[in-house]
Amino acid sequence: DQQVKQNSPSLSVQEGRISILNCDYTNSMFDYFLWYKKYPAEGPTFLISISSIKDKNEDGRFTVFLNKSAKHLSLHIVPSQPGDSAVYFCAAFYSGGGADGLTFGKGTHLIIQP
Amino acid sequence: DTAVSQTPKYLVTQMGNDKSIKCEQNLGHDTMYWYKQDSKKFLKIMFSYNNKELIINETVPNRFSPKSPDKAHLNLHINSLELGDSAVYFCASSQGNSNQETQYFGPGTRLLVL
């Protein structure tokens, strides 16, 4: 039962262009969403988050958009840089659920081409 | 300075053995977690623990037990290892237990059961 889905296992984008990573969720109780970035042989690193009371959060080159009615969020990276090549995990949780941990998607491998 | 560290980084062992993976965080966080990343790349919560409460994912076999000697450590002990336990195990920590705080991940421990 995949409550958080990232349907694109990989994405290739040219350097300097915009990267858009998508994430869908099925649990309507989720009210906080995060994106993590992971390099090989390392643990996930927090990137950006958004609360369900917002529809957009921006941090430098990274912007996360949330569409609650569609249960969809996306991560935009612009401009894309070679160092952005990594696996990106979407994660979600329900704040009223205590310390239940995060529910992760399977990840999308972003490849930035020079 | 490593915020969340895990040892060992790699662990190869025989079926039926008992093994432990150690996790330490120097962030002064209150809550620690163990996640398992299986062969399908899903990151799934196994345990979350603060000084007062242990929350166990009901799908985790009771061969797995977290042990916390103090607030900065949450070790994972596994009894009678099985082939299906082969995975990457990630430890994480956060300041509080509401999950609104960012979780910081360790580098992962790659367990291979032969």
Side-chain angles (χ1 to χ4, degrees):
Chain A
D1 178 25
Q2 295 182 47
Q3 296 189 65
V4 178
K5 300 177 185 179
Q6 293 176 256
N7 292 319
S8 298
S10 66
L11 175 67
S12 185
V13 174
Q14 203 166 13
E15 182 179 356
R17 306 292 289 269
I18 183 171
S19 296
I20 301 176
L21 298 105
N22 292 305
C23 177
D24 298 291
Y25 61 96
T26 57
N27 188 340
S28 58
M29 299 292 284
F30 288 144
D31 57 2
Y32 202 75
F33 305 90
L34 308 91
W35 284 93
Y36 280 82
K37 176 180 179 180
K38 184 183 180 302
Y39 293 116
E42 295 183 12
T45 303
F46 171 74
L47 197 57
I48 193 169
S49 63
I50 188 166
S51 165
S52 60
I53 62 173
K54 295 184 176 181
D55 55 17
K56 177 182 175 182
N57 188 25
E58 192 172 355
D59 183 3
R61 297 185 299 114
F62 303 91
T63 304
V64 55
F65 295 92
L66 176 63
N67 182 333
K68 282 184 293 182
S69 60
K71 294 191 180 67
H72 176 83
L73 63 154
S74 61
L75 174 68
H76 293 211
I77 307 173
V78 57
S80 300
Q81 298 175 353
D84 296 332
S85 294
V87 177
Y88 289 78
F89 289 96
C90 173
F93 72 82
Y94 165 50
S95 60
D100 289 345
L102 301 168
T103 301
F104 283 85
K106 290 177 69 173
T108 296
H109 185 192
L110 176 64
I111 302 164
I112 305 301
Q113 295 179 333
Chain B
D1 290 339
T2 304
V4 182
S5 59
Q6 295 177 230
T7 54
K9 196 167 184 178
Y10 299 95
L11 181 56
V12 182
T13 188
Q14 301 273 355
M15 277 176 56
N17 284 349
D18 301 339
K19 291 293 179 184
S20 291
I21 306 172
K22 295 184 178 180
C23 178
E24 176 182 2
Q25 53 94 5
N26 62 7
L27 299 166
H29 286 169
D30 295 320
T31 305
M32 296 183 72
Y33 311 82
W34 277 104
Y35 287 85
K36 177 181 179 181
Q37 186 178 32
D38 60 23
S39 58
K40 296 181 180 178
K41 303 302 181 185
F42 278 110
L43 265 164
K44 296 180 181 177
I45 184 73
M46 299 177 71
F47 305 100
S48 61
Y49 181 79
N50 62 24
N51 285 335
K52 301 174 184 175
E53 189 178 20
L54 171 66
I55 297 176
I56 303 171
N57 185 312
E58 62 186 12
T59 65
V60 176
N62 57 15
R63 299 181 293 103
F64 290 79
S65 56
K67 298 186 190 300
S68 180
D70 55 57
K71 192 173 115 169
H73 297 84
L74 184 66
N75 303 326
L76 181 64
H77 189 76
I78 315 170
N79 288 327
S80 302
L81 278 156
E82 299 178 358
L83 293 177
D85 298 333
S86 296
V88 182
Y89 293 84
F90 288 98
C91 176
S93 71
S94 65
Q95 179 62 49
N97 66 353
S98 70
N99 266 327
Q100 297 231 5
E101 291 83 10
T102 301
Q103 292 187 19
Y104 294 82
F105 283 79
T109 295
R110 285 141 190 85
L111 171 64
L112 177 60
V113 181
L114 302 175

